[in-house]
């Protein structure tokens, strides 16, 4: 099951194991050109709300996807924080482009050319992998203006947002894992309010290799979530909420375009 | 029974074994308090800090903020808001579920609906 707790997506699989919990949250940050993601500044968690709570003010196309809505600002860098002790394999999409592999979206795990994150040990994910170890920081941008990863890779502006699928480790594999390790205790055009993810500056992101082995993931029990990113003013109009937090320092996409000759 | 300060120190020191940036001084600087203040909180010489600092510490130490607030004898302000808005309903709900086993409570938690995408 999947629910929202403290603005965090909590993926739980009590039917597999009582400890099978993975927490995923989105955080605003600053641009960290060519720096390690360990130097990311947490400028605040991005709040999440059930999309169904605002069904009368949102287009059917978005409602059909279910999931949650999150307010965001254009040109805002963000990162995804992962936490939990139980091992999970996670697929992360940006506009249904796999952010780990740079390939079009698919729901199965590709272990040969690892296209998913493994947490633990992975604790954060901040950039889109365009190949050859080159990661671009996630930066929110308008959908439909040609700047999103989805538009640059797939040539369409239909999806936007962030997609997540969580696969827990099989119970038997987890029990083996516990024995062998010590853990810490602890289709219509996009509206102007819809946002997607663009490529920001290059960052030093590492993807933890799946050392558990691809056979340990419970492929029959996954849970997924569509995170709709909505422009802040539209979000305020739809939800009536103004509790958003202070805008972080804005990364200039224009500056990045100039620097990269685009 | 471990106090709030004990738990903070234990979590921080476990992280420090693997990563030296979890020294008392560096953690204090990252959450914006004086190292001496954090030290006194860890040793129980000062009462638990404000909700804001508890949340920052929880995030820094990869702990659940609600659990850390509860250990400090506090309730999250967003939960208080929820109760204040519908006091009778929420008080009734909390009393109803107080004896329920965890798995039964989990079943009444609202799920995020998945759709077509």
């Amino acid at each position: 099951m999947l629910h929202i707790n403290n603005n965090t997506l909590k993926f739980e699989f009590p039917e597999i194991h009582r400890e099978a919990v993975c927490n995923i949250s989105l955080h605003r940050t600053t641009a960290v050109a060519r720096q390690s993601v360990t130097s990311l500044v947490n400028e605040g968690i991005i709040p999440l709300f059930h999309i169904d709570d605002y069904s009368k003010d949102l287009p059917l196309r978005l409602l059909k996807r279910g999931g949650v809505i999150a307010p965001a600002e254009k040109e805002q860098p963000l990162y995804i924080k992962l936490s939990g002790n139980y091992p999970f394999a996670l697929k992360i999409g940006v506009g249904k482009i796999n952010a780990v592999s740079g390939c079009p979206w698919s729901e199965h795990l590709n272990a040969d050319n690892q296209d998913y994150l493994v947490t633990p040990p992975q604790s954060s994910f901040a950039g889109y992998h365009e190949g050859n170890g080159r990661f671009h920081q996630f930066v929110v941008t308008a959908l439909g203006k040609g700047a999103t990863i989805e538009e640059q890779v797939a040539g369409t502006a239909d999806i936007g947002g962030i997609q997540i699928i969580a696969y827990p480790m099989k119970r038997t594999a987890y029990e083996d894992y516990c024995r062998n390790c010590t853990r810490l205790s602890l289709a219509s055009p996009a509206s102007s309010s819809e946002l997607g993810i663009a490529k920001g500056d290059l960052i030093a992101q590492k993807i933890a290799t799946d050392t558990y082995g691809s056979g340990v993931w419970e492929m029959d029990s996954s849970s997924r979530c569509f995170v709709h990113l909505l422009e802040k003013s539209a979000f305020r109009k739809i939800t009536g909420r103004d509790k958003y937090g202070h805008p972080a320092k804005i990364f200039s996409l224009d500056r990045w375009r100039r620097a990269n000759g685009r | 029974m471990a106090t709030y300060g004990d738990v903070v120190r234990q979590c921080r020191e476990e992280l420090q074994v693997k990563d030296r940036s979890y020294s008392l001084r560096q953690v204090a600087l990252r959450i914006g308090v004086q190292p001496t203040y954090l030290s006194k909180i860890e040793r129980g010489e000062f009462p638990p800090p404000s909700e804001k600092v508890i949340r920052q510490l929880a995030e820094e130490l990869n702990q659940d903020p609600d659990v850390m607030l509860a250990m400090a004898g506090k309730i999250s302000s967003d939960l208080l808001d929820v109760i204040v808005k519908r006091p009778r309903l929420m008080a009734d709900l909390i009393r109803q579920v107080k004896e329920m086993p965890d798995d039964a409570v989990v079943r009444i938690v609202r799920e995020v609906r998945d759709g077509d995408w």
Side-chain angles (χ1 to χ4, degrees):
Chain A
M1 66 179 293
L2 168 62
H3 60 102
I4 302 173
N5 182 32
N6 270 324
N7 293 314
T8 299
L9 293 171
K10 194 165 187 177
F11 292 84
E12 286 187 283
F13 295 84
E15 71 281 13
I16 290 176
H17 197 287
R18 61 191 292 273
E19 291 180 25
V21 178
C22 180
N23 299 300
I24 301 180
S25 50
L26 304 180
H27 295 258
R28 294 177 288 135
T29 186
T30 48
V32 287
R34 295 183 191 280
Q35 291 178 33
S36 164
V37 292
T38 54
S39 60
L40 284 174
V41 178
N42 179 5
E43 294 273 1
I45 194 166
I46 298 179
L48 303 173
F49 304 91
H50 291 270
I51 192 169
D52 292 336
D53 289 354
Y54 305 101
S55 55
K56 68 178 190 328
D57 295 309
L58 286 165
L60 189 60
R61 186 171 55 83
L62 300 190
L63 290 170
K64 275 175 66 180
R65 294 175 183 152
V68 298
I69 54 175
E73 280 189 278
K74 291 174 196 163
E75 303 193 353
Q76 171 68 63
L78 62 81
Y79 71 94
I80 299 169
K81 183 180 173 193
L82 317 167
S83 65
N85 290 323
Y86 195 97
F88 274 78
L90 300 169
K91 295 201 78 164
I92 308 286
V94 287
K96 288 185 78 173
I97 302 298
N98 188 315
V100 178
S101 67
C103 297
W105 187 251
S106 74
E107 298 209 351
H108 71 275
L109 301 177
N110 183 351
D112 297 334
N113 181 18
Q114 188 181 324
D115 65 349
Y116 54 92
L117 305 176
V118 175
T119 182
Q122 190 94 32
S123 59
S124 64
F125 186 49
Y128 165 77
H129 187 204
E130 70 171 7
N132 300 320
R134 287 164 60 89
F135 286 84
H136 288 274
Q137 188 171 22
F138 293 136
V139 177
V140 177
T141 192
L143 184 63
K145 308 281 186 199
T148 64
I149 293 164
E150 168 189 356
E151 289 163 90
Q152 292 181 2
V153 175
T156 59
D158 300 329
I159 309 293
I162 296 171
Q163 297 76 39
I164 302 165
I165 304 186
Y167 294 95
M169 183 179 266
K170 290 175 182 169
R171 184 186 180 92
T172 49
Y174 180 65
E175 287 165 354
D176 290 343
Y177 163 71
C178 288
R179 274 193 287 275
N180 296 325
C181 73
T182 53
R183 292 179 298 134
L184 283 177
S185 59
L186 307 183
S188 51
S191 72
S192 59
S193 61
E194 284 176 65
L195 303 173
I197 299 292
K199 290 192 274 189
D201 275 331
L202 286 171
I203 54 168
Q205 168 79 62
K206 285 192 176 131
I207 301 293
T209 305
D210 181 1
T211 53
Y212 301 112
S214 59
V216 304
W217 307 114
E218 187 59 82
M219 300 302 292
D220 295 331
S221 286
S222 63
S223 185
R224 48 177 228 164
C225 185
F226 195 115
V227 181
H228 303 264
L229 298 172
L230 286 185
E231 203 276 322
K232 195 174 77 169
S233 59
F235 173 84
R236 194 180 293 133
K237 196 173 164 189
I238 289 166
T239 65
R241 291 175 184 270
D242 199 19
K243 208 173 172 181
Y244 175 74
H246 300 291
K249 290 171 196 165
I250 302 298
F251 166 81
S252 167
L253 204 57
D254 287 340
R255 192 193 66 191
W256 177 81
R257 286 199 189 101
R258 281 198 300 276
N260 288 274
R262 301 189 183 202
Chain B
M1 186 181 164
T3 65
Y4 172 78
D6 293 335
V7 174
V8 168
R9 182 167 54 186
Q10 186 196 338
C11 294
R12 185 184 58 74
E13 288 179 348
E14 280 177 359
L15 290 165
Q16 193 182 6
V17 171
K18 287 186 175 177
D19 184 344
R20 290 169 64 188
S21 73
Y22 284 92
S23 68
L24 186 134
R25 180 181 168 74
Q26 290 191 55
V27 168
L29 290 176
R30 284 201 293 274
I31 64 166
V33 301
Q34 290 293 322
T36 48
Y37 178 59
L38 181 58
S39 170
K40 287 185 175 176
I41 288 169
E42 285 193 352
R43 285 183 278 136
E45 291 175 18
F46 275 2
S50 66
E51 178 181 342
K52 184 182 167 198
V53 173
I54 291 173
R55 285 186 174 282
Q56 286 174 317
L57 254 178
E59 173 134 348
E60 185 67 29
L61 302 176
N62 288 324
Q63 297 298 311
D64 188 313
D66 283 332
V67 174
M68 296 301 273
L69 280 164
M71 296 214 67
K74 294 173 190 262
I75 295 178
S76 172
S77 54
D78 68 311
L79 294 182
L80 273 178
D81 284 348
V82 170
I83 295 168
V84 167
K85 274 184 189 154
R86 295 193 281 183
R88 192 171 294 169
L89 182 66
M90 289 301 149
D92 192 32
L93 176 69
I94 291 167
R95 290 194 182 101
Q96 296 269 349
V97 302
K98 71 177 181 184
E99 302 293 345
M100 281 169 74
D102 289 359
D103 60 332
V105 176
V106 164
R107 280 199 296 274
I108 63 169
V109 171
R110 184 179 179 194
E111 288 194 55
V112 174
R113 179 179 62 82
D114 190 19
D116 258 347
W117 45 271

